[in-house]
Amino acid sequence: MSEEVRHWQSRPLEALYPIVYVDGLVIKVRENQRVVNKALHLVLGVNLQGHKELLGMWIAQNEGAKFWLSVFTELQSRGVKDIFITCMDGLTGLPEAVETVFPHTRVQLCMVHLVRNSLRYVSHKHAKEVATDLKGIYSAATEMEAELNLEAFAQKWDAQYPTISASWRARWSRVIPRFAFSPDIRKAIYTTNAIESLNMTLRKMTRNRRIFPSDESAFKVMYLAVQTVSKKWTMPIREWKPALNRFALEFADRFPQ
């Protein structure tokens, strides 16, 4: 890894990020004369000004609690003292690792990922209707309404797709934190645009390269792409001002004066 990249990956970070998104993409790397699939994990923070900042990247072949614990411990050692909300896919060991290092952080599953995973089980002719019914769950006004809508979903679809309601129930404690928040904050944590647009750019790079000769090569290419993309991050994320006001009330005891 070049000195510039190493310096970027270990640079000091801000003490507080109200929102942190965790996402990743698959890359192909040549290793021991064969091609293996690895995951490039991205941790994107939104700072108090509402600006996006990629906190770091990590390449791994086998993730689990130990791997994620090392990632969030690294962020802590680089200066991060608090995160209000972490929005993520439900990767094994990830929610638990966040809560171990930052015990006051609320973990919120990304609804886009959850819906996308649910639709894998669904035939094309039912996809639109199922997606609409799932929206009724996560866009409900209250947790109670969401539970009722999940029950209605199960009654309607369990005969054909029993795994969907079961997977939502299994993850329910990570679905419901959103209902404690106002629409302003829900909008801010729901929108995965913050990280999806970055992913799109990086996926283009992986398509162009197809196979990387090493982890170091992949990391350097992705680092250069991130530097290009982040130059456009000059504006706060959408609806940031009202969301920040809500954060100040919701997390008054942890909000900087």
Side-chain angles (χ1 to χ4, degrees):
M1 201 184 291
S2 74
E3 196 56 42
E4 182 188 346
V5 177
R6 191 178 283 110
H7 181 265
W8 175 82
Q9 180 72 19
S10 58
R11 75 197 186 282
L13 299 171
E14 295 188 22
L16 168 65
Y17 290 92
I19 309 173
V20 164
Y21 300 93
V22 185
D23 205 357
L25 61 153
V26 175
I27 58 173
K28 292 185 181 297
V29 181
R30 199 174 295 285
E31 197 172 82
N32 300 326
Q33 297 179 322
R34 62 193 185 98
V35 175
V36 295
N37 283 343
K38 294 192 176 186
L40 177 79
H41 295 291
L42 311 166
V43 178
L44 183 87
V46 178
N47 64 21
L48 280 165
Q49 290 72 46
H51 290 136
K52 296 179 285 186
E53 180 190 348
L54 192 67
L55 308 186
M57 301 187 293
W58 291 263
I59 294 175
Q61 195 168 354
N62 300 301
E63 310 89 9
K66 194 175 173 184
F67 167 77
W68 288 114
L69 198 58
S70 72
V71 168
F72 279 87
T73 301
E74 185 181 317
L75 294 176
Q76 189 182 50
S77 69
R78 287 166 58 198
V80 181
K81 291 186 169 59
D82 199 6
I83 298 166
F84 291 157
I85 301 165
T86 305
C87 191
M88 62 179 67
D89 193 358
L91 292 164
T92 306
L94 173 52
E96 295 78 11
V98 173
E99 290 166 339
T100 299
V101 182
F102 298 103
H104 302 297
T105 297
R106 298 191 198 174
V107 172
Q108 172 66 59
L109 279 186
C110 167
M111 294 299 106
V112 171
H113 280 110
L114 201 52
V115 170
R116 202 179 282 157
N117 291 339
S118 298
L119 292 177
R120 282 183 190 161
Y121 304 107
V122 178
S123 72
H124 183 70
K125 66 176 180 178
H126 292 143
K128 200 170 180 183
E129 193 179 351
V130 169
T132 300
D133 290 348
L134 287 173
K135 188 176 181 181
I137 301 168
Y138 65 77
S139 63
T142 63
E143 185 183 330
M144 187 181 287
E145 185 191 334
E147 280 180 12
L148 290 170
N149 290 350
L150 176 58
E151 193 53 47
F153 180 94
Q155 286 175 9
K156 180 175 175 180
W157 293 109
D158 271 9
Q160 286 165 289
Y161 308 115
T163 48
I164 299 177
S165 65
S167 72
W168 279 66
R169 285 195 176 106
R171 293 169 174 79
W172 197 242
S173 66
R174 310 288 186 195
V175 171
I176 57 175
R178 60 187 290 103
F179 298 112
F181 297 120
S182 68
D184 303 318
I185 292 181
R186 283 194 212 181
K187 230 176 258 178
I189 59 176
Y190 173 79
T191 178
T192 52
N193 292 350
I195 200 157
E196 287 287 340
S197 58
L198 172 61
N199 269 357
M200 264 171 52
T201 305
L202 297 185
R203 280 198 182 95
K204 274 184 202 161
M205 302 297 293
T206 61
R207 276 200 295 273
N208 294 343
R209 291 282 172 143
R210 299 270 172 84
I211 298 166
F212 293 97
S214 64
D215 285 4
E216 288 74 19
S217 163
F219 206 100
K220 188 175 180 184
V221 169
M222 296 304 176
Y223 164 75
L224 292 171
V226 166
Q227 299 314 301
T228 303
V229 174
S230 59
K231 283 176 186 156
K232 298 174 186 170
W233 295 346
T234 55
M235 300 293 289
I237 65 169
R238 283 175 64 192
E239 309 290 339
W240 182 248
K241 274 284 160 61
L244 188 65
N245 287 321
R246 293 286 187 164
F247 276 126
L249 294 171
E250 184 74 31
F251 300 98
D253 55 331
R254 291 153 61 192
F255 201 85
Q257 296 305 311

